[in-house]
């Protein structure tokens, strides 16, 4: 019989103990999947939602615009930039936008706020949270003077569809300018601060008002296929733009290429903090499970001390005994992972497809860091997270077996034989 | 014609073994010298605490002397590394213990096969050897039984099969009949005597069982860790 077969039989000597250990390993997998799955799902949701509120996952903009988003800072040749982005790996789509501050007034009242000027011919709800949240009316036409306002602002200014709104801002040179727009739609994102202070305007009308040429804008917002690869795609975008700039004098301009971590630093900080506390709780769970496995294997080694003595007496080398116990912990790890997968799969699919509605516990505010979060608790795991969880649990089990294995190989045979 | 001279297989020269038991130093074996020749059927006799098991453990390389030299087939055991001692035990020594000490998760066949597997012998060859040995010790048909499905006598037969399956130079048996009834004890002694005579395997017993002493061809009496010349 080989060591592997012997180890398999050994772990079944105490069926109940092995069962309990496998269940505790499985429970560790379950907890790790739940906590990582909530993280993977909610972080991705928050990052994508914040990217869809204006800046994109990657933003190409004038230097300093992000720190102080004034309209005198702008980029040009946006058409050429867009063309270059089209074939950049990882880039899903890109949008030219003008973002600025302004005063918004109706016949009743005026309020301060911000506008996002977009091209209605290219923007869709898939990558624009405001369009997706359009509750009433429709988006304006490209060359119209329409405006889509947030529900909160519409209530403050007593606006309805078809009513006039005057917006006042500064132009390219810093002079105050005003324009009239007619309300074509009202959106509700659920983020109170956004709904009460944000409007969408047609980019052509805004360019005309603030004196931008047709190839000038505040930024090009880049949406990428998978937010996890932001850094990699950002590097490709930078490389591409830099190489094109060398060949094409038109693109020799100052610009910054920023990721969502910089433009949405509040979200990045929030995710980073949450991820850290998640890691700490997972480490604690791991330690608890390891202690259980260590206890099982140590007990199993101690109660077989005499048997190990006999094995050494008949010629088994100490290192073979070490490997025997390591193989036992490997089997235990496989068994635990199998139990973990079995108990976690139904739970994962339930939370992935249906989820648990937490709106009762969250109250009215479904936002974090100024971004709407899903009040339904859901799980989603990236393949690499699944591999990481299974590998870590497997390694922890193996590591827990190291001391008992070392101990098994170290007791002198004559001492082992004296053990009861 | 002069009888063929037998070679010394085990040489024990001025061996002492002491160990601490709490604060007390115990001299388990004290300046003992003894030679064992090839093919002997020898019993180490003496009361409990006389040093029989300690001496047997040292001969088997399970324990090392505090002083003196033990040689097995001219190899000084104290000079061997842990690995070399393991290999020596695996290839040249067979052990039979008082409490059988079979591996409970293995069948009779697997227990007997275990040492051959450690030697790396091919499976087919192992099978042939183990089946033949189990037949010799009278366990044909019981190959697939686990220790808890066998009587004490049958378990001790498996232990003997495990001890002789590698054709060792010497079998060290520590009180082999202590846990079996008279009928089984006689049968086991018959078996070991037959293996000694037929295969030429050297047997050394530690015992105070008169049945073993009666069968042994040489009796070595120990008292207080020394040879007892008065016995």
């Amino acid at each position: 019989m080989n060591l592997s077969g012997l180890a398999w039989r050994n772990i079944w000597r105490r069926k109940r103990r092995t069962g309990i250990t496998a269940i505790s390993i499985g429970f560790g997998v379950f907890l790790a999947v739940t906590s990582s799955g909530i993280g993977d799902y909610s972080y991705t949701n928050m990052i994508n939602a914040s990217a869809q509120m204006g800046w994109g996952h990657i933003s190409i903009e004038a230097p300093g615009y992000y720190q102080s988003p004034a309209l005198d800072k702008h980029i040009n040749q946006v058409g050429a930039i867009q063309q270059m982005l089209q074939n950049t790996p990882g880039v899903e789509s890109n949008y030219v936008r003008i973002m600025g501050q302004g005063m918004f007034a109706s016949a009743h009242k005026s309020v301060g706020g911000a506008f996002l000027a977009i091209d209605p011919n290219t923007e869709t709800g898939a990558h624009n949270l405001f369009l997706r949240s359009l509750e009433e009316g429709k988006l304006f036409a490209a060359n119209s003077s329409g405006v889509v306002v947030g529900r909160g602002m519409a209530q403050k200014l007593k606006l309805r569809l078809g009513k006039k709104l005057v917006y006042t801002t500064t132009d390219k040179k810093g002079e105050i300018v005003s324009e009239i727009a007619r309300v074509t739609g009202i959106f509700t994102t659920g983020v109170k601060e956004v709904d009460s202070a944000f409007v969408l305007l047609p980019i052509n009308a805004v360019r005309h008002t603030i004196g931008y040429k047709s190839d000038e804008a505040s930024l090009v917002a880049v949406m990428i296929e998978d937010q996890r690869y932001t850094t990699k795609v950002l590097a490709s975008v930078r490389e591409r733009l830099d190489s094109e700039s060398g060949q094409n004098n038109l693109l020799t301009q100052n610009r910054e290429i920023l990721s969502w971590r910089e433009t949405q630093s509040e979200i990045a900080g929030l995710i980073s903090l949450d991820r850290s506390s998640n890691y700490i709780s997972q480490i604690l769970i791991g330690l608890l499970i390891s202690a259980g496995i260590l206890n099982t294997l140590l007990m199993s080694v101690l109660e077989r001390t005499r048997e190990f003595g006999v094995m050494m007496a008949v010629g088994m080398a100490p290192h073979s005994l070490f490997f025997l116990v390591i193989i036992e912990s490997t089997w235990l790890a496989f068994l635990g992972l199998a139990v973990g997968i079995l108990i976690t799969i139904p739970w994962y699919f339930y939370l992935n497809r249906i989820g648990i509605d937490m709106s009762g516990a969250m109250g009215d505010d479904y936002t974090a860091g100024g971004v709407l979060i899903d009040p339904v608790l859901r799980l989603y795991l990236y393949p690499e997270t699944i591999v990481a969880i299974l590998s870590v649990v497997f390694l922890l089990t193996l590591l827990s077996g190291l001391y008992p294995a070392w101990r098994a190989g170290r007791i002198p045979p004559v001492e082992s034989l004296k053990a009861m | 014609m002069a009888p063929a001279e037998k070679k010394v297989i085990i040489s024990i020269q001025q061996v002492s073994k002491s160990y601490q038991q709490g604060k007390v130093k115990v001299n388990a074996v004290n300046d003992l010298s003894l030679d064992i020749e090839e093919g002997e059927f020898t019993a180490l006799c003496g009361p409990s605490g006389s040093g029989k098991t300690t001496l047997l453990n040292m001969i088997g390389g399970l324990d090392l002397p505090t002083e003196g030299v033990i040689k097995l087939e001219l190899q000084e055991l104290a000079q061997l590394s842990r690995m070399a001692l393991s290999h020596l035990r695996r290839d040249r020594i067979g052990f039979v213990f008082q409490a059988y000490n079979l591996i409970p998760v293995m069948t009779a066949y697997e227990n007997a096969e275990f040492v051959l597997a450690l030697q790396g012998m091919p499976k087919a060859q192992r099978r042939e050897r183990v089946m033949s040995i189990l037949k010799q010790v009278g366990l044909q048909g019981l190959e697939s039984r686990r220790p808890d499905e066998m009587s004490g006598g049958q378990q001790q037969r498996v232990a003997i099969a495990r001890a002789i399956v590698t054709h060792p130079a010497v079998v060290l048996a520590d009180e082999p009949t202590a846990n079996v009834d008279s009928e089984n004890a006689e049968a086991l002694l018959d078996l070991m005597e037959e293996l000694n005579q037929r295969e030429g395997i050297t047997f050394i017993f530690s015992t105070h069982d008169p049945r073993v002493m009666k069968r042994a061809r040489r009796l070595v009496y120990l008292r207080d860790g020394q040879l007892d010349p008065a016995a």
Side-chain angles (χ1 to χ4, degrees), chain B residues 194-210:
Chain B
E194 188 194 333
L195 289 166
N196 168 255
Q197 285 173 358
R198 200 178 61 220
E199 309 279 335
I201 301 170
T202 307
F203 276 83
I204 305 173
F205 305 94
S206 82
T207 189
H208 45 232
D209 182 345

Side-chain angles (χ1 to χ4, degrees), chain A residues 58-269:
Chain A
I58 294 169
S59 163
I60 302 167
E61 58 191 54
Y65 176 75
Y66 156 66
Q67 281 89 358
S68 165
L71 293 166
D72 58 341
K73 295 174 189 125
H74 62 272
I75 51 171
N76 51 30
Q77 283 100 34
V78 289
I81 293 173
Q82 281 196 292
Q83 212 166 8
M84 273 184 294
L85 288 170
Q86 269 174 7
N87 297 320
T88 305
V91 171
E92 191 177 68
S93 55
N94 65 82
Y95 305 96
V96 174
R97 289 168 177 171
I98 298 172
M99 287 168 77
Q101 314 285 321
M103 286 297 293
F104 302 91
S106 67
H108 299 276
K109 206 176 172 184
S110 65
V111 292
F115 66 84
L116 173 66
I118 60 168
D119 179 356
N121 292 332
T122 58
E123 301 254 1
T124 64
H127 296 108
N128 188 317
L129 181 70
F130 305 109
L131 298 191
R132 202 161 62 242
S133 311
L134 203 59
E135 206 176 45
E136 202 181 330
K138 59 179 185 178
L139 186 59
F140 39 72
N143 291 313
S144 70
S145 56
V147 61
V148 173
V149 298
R151 175 66 65 193
M153 184 179 279
Q155 284 167 350
K156 274 188 201 169
L157 300 181
K158 296 185 178 165
L159 290 170
R160 293 196 311 272
L161 294 181
K163 289 286 178 184
K164 282 181 193 166
L165 170 91
V166 175
Y167 61 92
T168 306
T169 184
T170 52
D171 69 4
K172 190 177 175 179
K173 293 173 185 162
E175 299 292 330
I176 293 174
V177 289
S178 278
E179 190 57 81
I180 296 173
R182 206 171 280 278
V183 177
T184 63
I186 297 172
F187 63 79
T188 307
T189 62
V191 185
K192 280 179 189 166
E193 297 81 8
V194 171
D195 291 343
S196 61
F198 235 82
V199 304
L200 296 182
L201 290 166
I203 196 163
N204 288 344
V206 172
R207 272 191 182 124
H208 177 75
T209 306
I210 64 174
Y212 277 15
K213 291 177 192 159
S214 62
D215 65 346
E216 291 177 336
S218 301
L219 59 99
V220 176
V222 181
M223 310 302 290
I224 64 176
E225 285 157 8
D226 190 333
Q227 55 82 17
R228 288 173 297 160
Y229 305 120
T230 301
T231 309
K232 196 176 157 190
V233 177
L234 188 140
S236 303
V237 168
R238 178 168 286 141
E239 193 184 340
R240 191 108 191 206
L241 283 177
D242 286 349
S243 83
E244 285 288 334
S245 300
Q247 294 165 13
N248 184 351
N249 287 335
L250 286 173
L251 289 169
T252 52
Q253 55 174 310
N254 283 334
R255 61 175 168 257
E256 275 184 333
I257 305 171
L258 304 174
S259 75
W260 63 267
R261 289 186 190 87
E262 290 145 312
T263 56
Q264 306 290 312
S265 53
E266 203 180 333
I267 295 287

